[in-house]
Each structure stands twice: as structure tokens, then as C-alpha cells.
Amino acid sequence: SHKIFDEMMEDIASMSVLGVRIVLVVGIRDQVDARLDAMNVEVKYAGLDRVSDPETLRVVQEVSGYARSRVEGSFARGVKGLARVMSGGVGIDVVGGNFYYTAQPLGVRNGIDYGATGEVRRVETEKVRSHLNNGEIVLMTSLGYSGSGDVFNVQSEAVAARVVILHHGRIVLDERTGGIEHAPAMVDIMLRASPDQDTLAAIAGVKSVESIG
């Protein structure tokens, strides 16, 4: 709901003002599924991975753009209470774009063509760290881009897992949006994207605020 979204953004903005370095990975799986259902388009998964045909990718692009716009608009209005005083009453700086990670296609696996579904190829660690050091929130979405300009639908959990390991951080889910309910599947995706003990440690304190949807 709008109320839950506003509460989440307020919490994240307040943490940023208090000095927490935040990479916000926006998940849109439920919203994409709902849009496809409304269009009478089959929602196709193979295990935990979405099969992204051209129509599905177009919906992912539309929903991702809307979600990003809502997040940026929310941070533009700043924060309330003591955090507002600490921030000088101005908005929270948030940066996003196509230059924080590159993606590559899943391709054909076990006889299944995943279409435009992709995976993280490389995270641009120094670019992310530079913005975090400037006190900015780094915003990432499920849209990943290859060096040749191809667009891929990448699982937000996989993006979060790759980023958090490189920055020795913690992955935080939001129980208000069902994040805790979906945690087992999300953990499986994260461990597949970055299968090591550091990932387990990063996931260990799962509690509040990672994704929309």
C-alpha cells in the first residue's frame, strides 16, 4: 500500500541521515506478475527464474521505471522529525543508472530458453563505494545491461547478494512487504548468485527493509 511504501522510504531516509550507507535494490516481482495477469499474459517460471520473452521484458521495464520514479520522488521530499533537522530539511540524495553492474544472459539451460532473463556479470565496486562515501543512497533495479547495450531482467536478490559481499554489508528484507515470507526462496537465489560463507553471514540478520514487492 501507499502507506507502507511511505513508511519504508521514511525509515530508509532516516537511516541514511544517521550515517548508514545504503544500497537500495528495488524488487518488482509481484508487481510484474500482477501486470502480466491483468494483460492475460502467461507468467512463466522455470524453478526460481522467470522466463522473459519480449512482452515480459517490456512489462519489467515499465514497472521498474515506475518503481524507481516513486522511490526517487519519496527521497526528494526528505525526512521528518529529528532526522529532518539533522539533514538540514533537504531531500535525500539518491543515485541510480546503468553503470553500477553489468549483466549477461542466462541463455539456454536444461533445454529452457530464458530469453531476456539475465544474471550479474560484474559489479562496479568503486563507483558504488564512491557514492556511498558521499552519503548518497545507491539505487539499483532488476534491469541490467550488457556492454553491447542488451537489456536483461535480473533477479533483485541476486543483485543484492553480489553487492553486499563486495561491500561487507548486510542484506535486509522488509517484513511489511512480505520480504520475510519469501525469505527462503530469496536466500536460495542469493546463495546461488554468491555461494560462500560471506553470503550466509550477510543474510544472517534478516529483518527489515530491502525491496518493494
Side-chain angles (χ1 to χ4, degrees):
S1 72
H2 290 291
K3 182 175 183 294
I4 291 175
F5 174 82
D6 289 341
E7 289 175 350
M8 286 173 51
M9 294 301 101
E10 180 71 23
D11 289 345
I12 295 170
S14 296
M15 287 190 293
S16 178
V17 170
L18 294 172
V20 178
R21 304 199 307 171
I22 297 172
V23 176
L24 179 60
V25 183
V26 180
I28 55 171
R29 181 181 294 105
D30 291 346
Q31 291 89 335
V32 170
D33 286 350
R35 176 76 68 85
L36 291 172
D37 282 339
M39 295 168 58
N40 293 317
V41 175
E42 181 184 0
V43 178
K44 293 175 284 188
Y45 283 93
L48 296 173
D49 298 298
R50 185 189 299 279
V51 176
S52 301
D53 58 24
E55 193 166 19
T56 297
L57 179 62
R58 185 165 58 252
V59 169
V60 171
Q61 290 173 302
E62 292 171 356
V63 175
S64 179
Y66 175 70
R68 176 175 172 174
S69 176
R70 287 195 65 194
V71 170
E72 292 175 340
S74 179
F75 288 138
R77 68 171 177 256
V79 291
K80 302 175 183 177
L82 178 59
R84 183 172 183 83
V85 175
M86 295 176 64
S87 69
V90 299
I92 305 299
D93 291 335
V94 56
V95 293
N98 65 346
F99 40 78
Y100 294 121
Y101 76 92
T102 54
Q104 61 191 18
L106 282 184
V108 178
R109 300 185 180 183
N110 298 319
I112 299 171
D113 184 352
Y114 286 91
T117 297
E119 60 187 357
V120 178
R121 180 175 183 272
R122 172 186 169 87
V123 176
E124 299 299 333
T125 307
E126 292 307 316
K127 292 179 181 178
V128 174
R129 183 176 293 121
S130 174
H131 288 292
L132 294 177
N133 289 342
N134 288 335
E136 299 162 327
I137 293 176
V138 174
L139 175 62
M140 296 186 183
T141 73
S142 297
L143 292 178
Y145 304 88
S146 70
S148 59
D150 294 318
V151 184
F152 296 104
N153 173 27
V154 183
Q155 292 169 320
S156 58
E157 299 90 347
V159 176
R162 291 289 298 272
V163 171
V164 77
I165 297 309
L166 292 172
H167 292 276
H168 309 290
R170 287 291 182 271
I171 293 171
V172 188
L173 310 176
D174 196 323
E175 59 191 5
R176 291 168 293 189
T177 63
I180 300 301
E181 176 185 347
H182 298 305
M186 297 172 91
V187 168
D188 286 345
I189 294 170
M190 292 172 187
L191 289 174
R192 187 178 60 183
S194 185
D196 55 33
Q197 291 300 312
D198 288 338
T199 306
L200 285 172
I203 297 169
V206 169
K207 43 186 179 185
S208 202
V209 196
E210 186 260 333
S211 71
I212 303 171

